[in-house]
């Protein structure tokens, strides 16, 4: 189970060309500004959809919305199939060997 993934905070992520130590360093050194918005999603769970929603909310000009939390959830089985199909044809990610 541990092979073929980029492990971070005990979460298996699609393997890309960097290592979890670099990811941790980036997380720990990142300085947030008050106006920053944090999007935290698992790949293929609807990240781009959420970005669109946030941009639409943001463009209404009301800064109070950033104090809200939008909880996005997608059936993990759909995430698995979506990732399998997408990463099977991507060149920047290690190709999954199977759905298992
Ligand atoms: N409004 C919505 N409702 C449900 N799934 C959505 C959605 N908008 C995007 N998605 C799905 O989210 C996946 C992409 O996620 P991400 O943006 O994190 O990479 C795609 O899955 P599929 O590959 O199953 O079509 C896409 O169809
Ligand atoms: C850090 C692991 C990771 C995250 C997002 C990725 O992009 S995509 O959602 O598959 O397009 C790839 C790897």
């Amino acid at each position: 189970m541990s092979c073929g993934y980029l492990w971070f905070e005990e979460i298996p992520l699609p393997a890309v060309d960097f290592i979890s130590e670099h990811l941790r360093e980036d997380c720990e050194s990142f300085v947030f500004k008050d106006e920053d918005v944090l999007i935290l999603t698992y790949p293929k769970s609807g990240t781009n959809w959420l970005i669109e929603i946030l941009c639409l909310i943001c463009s209404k000009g009301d800064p109070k919305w950033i104090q809200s939390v939008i909880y996005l959830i997608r059936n993990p089985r759909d995430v698995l199939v979506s990732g399998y199909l997408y990463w099977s044809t991507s060149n920047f990610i290690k190709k999954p060997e199977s759905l298992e």
Side-chain angles (χ1 to χ4, degrees):
M1 177 67 179
S2 63
C3 297
Y5 295 97
L6 169 67
W7 283 86
F8 186 70
E9 302 280 340
E10 300 182 26
I11 298 170
L13 295 164
V16 284
D17 199 17
F18 53 80
I19 56 176
S20 53
E21 284 75 18
H22 294 166
L23 203 52
R24 178 171 305 287
E25 284 168 18
D26 289 344
C27 285
E28 289 175 354
S29 64
F30 193 86
V31 179
F32 286 98
K33 298 177 190 167
D34 285 346
E35 64 271 27
D36 282 342
V37 178
L38 182 66
I39 297 177
L40 184 63
T41 57
Y42 191 83
K44 312 316 293 177
S45 58
T47 311
N48 289 286
W49 179 39
L50 186 56
I51 290 170
E52 291 295 324
I53 292 170
L54 288 169
C55 287
L56 285 170
I57 296 171
C58 192
S59 64
K60 298 292 181 192
D62 180 1
K64 288 196 289 298
W65 70 272
I66 58 171
Q67 296 162 3
S68 307
V69 173
I70 300 173
Y71 191 85
L72 175 68
I73 187 165
R74 188 180 191 200
N75 189 320
R77 289 173 290 196
D78 293 330
V79 173
L80 180 71
V81 173
S82 176
Y84 178 78
L85 295 173
Y86 183 73
W87 298 319
S88 293
T89 58
S90 301
N91 291 324
F92 67 105
I93 283 176
K94 182 177 183 294
K95 296 190 190 315
E97 290 168 12
S98 78
L99 265 177
E100 295 174 13

